[in-house]
Amino acid sequence: MSGGFSRPLAAHGECIAVLGAGPAGVMAALGLHRLGYPVQVISQWRRFDAIEGVSARVMQALAQQGLTHTLSMAVPAAEREVHWGEAPVVRNREFLIDRPQFDAALRADLAAGSVPLREARVRQLHRLDAGWDIELDDGSRIAASRIVDARGRQAPQSGAAQRGPETVSLLCRWRATPGAAASAVERRDDGWTWLARLPDGTCYWQWVTGAQLPGRAELPAWCAAARQASALARRFFPEDPGAAVTVHARSSTSTLSEEGFDGRLLRVGDAAMAVDPLSGNGIFQSLSSALQAPAVLHTLIRDPSREALALDFHRERVRHLFLRFARMGRDFYRQAPAVGSFWPPRQQWPDEAPLHYDPDPSQLRVAERPVLEHGEVVARQVVVTADQPLGVWHVDGVALAPLVAALPQQSLRQVLTEQVPQASWQAVGQWFLSQGVPLD
């Protein structure tokens, strides 16, 4: 992407409603507000309290968007213990976030950005000729020209979705003695667990499984028995309170929506694609789809003739991201033995395609694809590879398509010398070398 967003022309009479004030909804709302569009966020608080682990790149994305309140809520943890194979290992330092505090900080960043928030639950959406009539749970109504649906897994689905193996997460939370932040993950025959501690003594144990659950009243004791059966959990939580915990069961099934990609309704975050928590990229993928949504809507409003192009851009990138994270989760699952009923289906889903393809210079080709330019979706010549089916447009500001077109007649060294600014030789040359193109 190059350049900045162009301002809308008197907002074209638009008023955009963003449903949901999680990371995806806040990112989309702030992006649209910066473009000058009237935005109304509608959201209710989450009905359960969780702790989540996020990567450094999520923190970088939050910083780039200026979400200072939200950034302050992350707690760096020690390197995560991984008990997956025969011997435990230590990997990947992660940041821990307490979702109630994190969600409050997201709301504070909305307020700092002067984006209005209505605390309410959406009861029903009524499509009109020129927009939407949004019915809230208190009986009031809000009119909007377009909707960005960022309600996460709670967004209604008509059934038109691609789903992975049915998976449920049991979220257990309690308070113990304060101490150092820490996290760990452990494989079980019937699933896997993620363990976390915050400095204030908040403890969290998440059990991801495909097993048939007991009744709600029996869940705390059932989870307590599973923790006590784990040597890691007994060591990690020396003050395990037994059944005196808050337990919430929720779906963790991987889901790719096949709807919500039209000119009046755009899904982002988990409402568009929800990934298996084993990929460790839930919030990152939410931010990825939400960050592109303002450019997609901006294109639809400014130039309706590019509606199909803009929607294809959003849909294909959401699908590509979904498959990438699904395959990442599949490869993690394959590192465990294929035992019981939980593991084999997840080791085969979504397909047998590799997460990454080996470099093959014969596969480089030039094609027209939608890209972002000056904050709008346009069609440009890009270079498509087996690993990048959506295409690569620029490297270090240099368009790749003309260089690939010249390669059959010239060596890479000649192309770099004659068509690439010297300051970009290393970056562009390294990209071609990574694709298996020889220098001479």
Side-chain angles (χ1 to χ4, degrees):
M1 182 173 68
S2 63
F5 286 98
S6 54
R7 301 293 292 179
L9 304 176
H12 292 261
E14 297 282 343
C15 180
I16 302 172
V18 177
L19 311 183
V26 169
M27 285 289 199
L30 288 172
L32 288 163
H33 178 73
R34 289 169 187 144
L35 286 170
Y37 291 106
V39 180
Q40 171 73 69
V41 178
I42 305 168
S43 182
Q44 62 179 348
W45 287 92
R46 285 161 59 105
R47 298 179 181 178
F48 55 93
D49 297 339
I51 295 175
E52 297 183 30
V54 300
S55 64
R57 61 181 174 176
V58 169
M59 303 302 292
Q60 292 167 359
L62 296 174
Q64 289 169 357
Q65 297 302 308
L67 300 186
T68 55
H69 293 87
T70 307
L71 271 171
S72 67
M73 291 298 104
V75 176
E79 291 184 311
R80 178 175 51 193
E81 291 184 56
V82 178
H83 296 252
W84 205 255
E86 295 182 359
V89 297
V90 177
R91 302 179 179 164
N92 302 333
R93 184 180 300 273
E94 61 186 337
F95 293 85
L96 304 179
I97 57 173
D98 187 334
R99 275 307 297 256
Q101 297 180 22
F102 187 77
D103 290 343
L106 285 168
R107 283 164 162 76
D109 281 318
L110 272 181
S114 301
V115 176
L117 168 65
R118 175 78 175 270
E119 295 283 1
R121 184 180 70 86
V122 175
R123 177 182 296 170
Q124 197 167 1
L125 300 177
H126 305 279
R127 188 184 285 266
L128 307 175
D129 290 341
W132 295 90
D133 173 29
I134 304 171
E135 182 181 353
L136 304 182
D137 56 356
D138 62 1
S140 62
R141 307 175 101 89
I142 292 177
S145 56
R146 301 174 196 269
I147 286 176
V148 176
D149 196 339
R151 288 177 288 176
R153 292 179 183 268
Q154 303 305 312
Q157 298 276 358
S158 68
Q162 180 178 347
R163 296 176 64 86
E166 294 300 319
T167 305
V168 66
S169 288
L170 296 167
L171 318 180
C172 300
R173 180 176 173 135
W174 67 96
R175 183 64 67 89
T177 303
S183 67
V185 63
E186 180 179 34
R187 176 180 58 82
R188 298 169 50 94
D189 287 347
D190 55 2
W192 58 274
T193 61
W194 183 69
L195 306 80
R197 296 194 310 263
L198 295 178
D200 66 1
T202 299
C203 298
Y204 187 76
W205 185 79
Q206 177 173 321
W207 179 8
V208 180
T209 182
Q212 184 70 35
L213 302 185
R216 179 177 296 183
E218 299 170 290
L219 280 178
W222 198 54
C223 292
R227 286 196 304 275
Q228 282 301 311
S230 164
L232 171 64
R234 293 196 304 271
R235 173 173 60 80
F236 198 90
F237 303 122
E239 303 173 51
D240 189 336
V245 299
T246 300
V247 181
H248 181 86
R250 65 171 304 198
S251 171
S252 289
T253 303
S254 297
T255 308
L256 173 64
S257 176
E258 300 292 344
E259 55 193 5
F261 299 100
D262 65 47
R264 292 290 172 181
L265 175 64
L266 206 65
R267 288 180 181 261
V268 298
D270 282 355
M273 55 158 282
V275 298
D276 189 303
L278 188 60
S279 73
N281 285 285
I283 289 183
F284 176 77
Q285 66 84 11
S286 291
L287 298 180
S288 298
S289 62
L291 285 171
Q292 70 193 29
V296 172
L297 287 173
H298 190 48
T299 304
L300 295 175
I301 294 166
R302 285 181 60 86
D303 185 358
S305 70
R306 281 185 276 156
E307 177 175 307
L309 184 75
L311 294 177
D312 182 63
F313 173 87
H314 185 62
R315 183 188 303 107
E316 289 306 308
R317 274 157 179 74
V318 168
R319 180 178 180 276
H320 177 72
L321 201 63
F322 176 78
L323 289 174
R324 183 176 131 206
F325 288 143
R327 291 164 184 155
M328 185 182 299
R330 175 204 64 195
D331 291 350
F332 285 153
Y333 280 118
R334 286 180 173 178
Q335 295 175 23
V339 297
S341 61
F342 178 83
W343 295 92
R346 292 160 179 81
Q347 292 170 341
Q348 303 302 320
W349 188 85
D351 52 33
E352 288 298 321
L355 179 60
H356 294 293
Y357 287 87
D358 293 333
D360 184 353
S362 68
Q363 295 297 307
L364 296 180
R365 62 186 181 89
V366 175
E368 187 174 84
R369 294 284 191 272
V371 300
L372 291 184
E373 183 177 33
H374 303 302
E376 296 185 25
V377 182
V378 297
R380 293 289 183 263
Q381 296 288 306
V382 302
V383 176
V384 174
T385 73
D387 215 34
Q388 295 287 340
L390 301 182
V392 183
W393 185 20
H394 287 141
V395 169
D396 201 35
V398 177
L400 295 178
L403 309 185
V404 169
L407 279 179
Q409 292 77 37
Q410 295 179 293
S411 69
L412 175 58
R413 188 186 300 276
Q414 290 174 306
V415 169
L416 291 173
T417 303
E418 297 178 10
Q419 299 193 42
V420 178
Q422 187 172 356
S424 298
W425 282 358
Q426 182 174 358
V428 176
Q430 186 57 48
W431 185 86
F432 275 101
L433 291 173
S434 73
Q435 302 302 312
V437 179
L439 193 58
D440 293 303

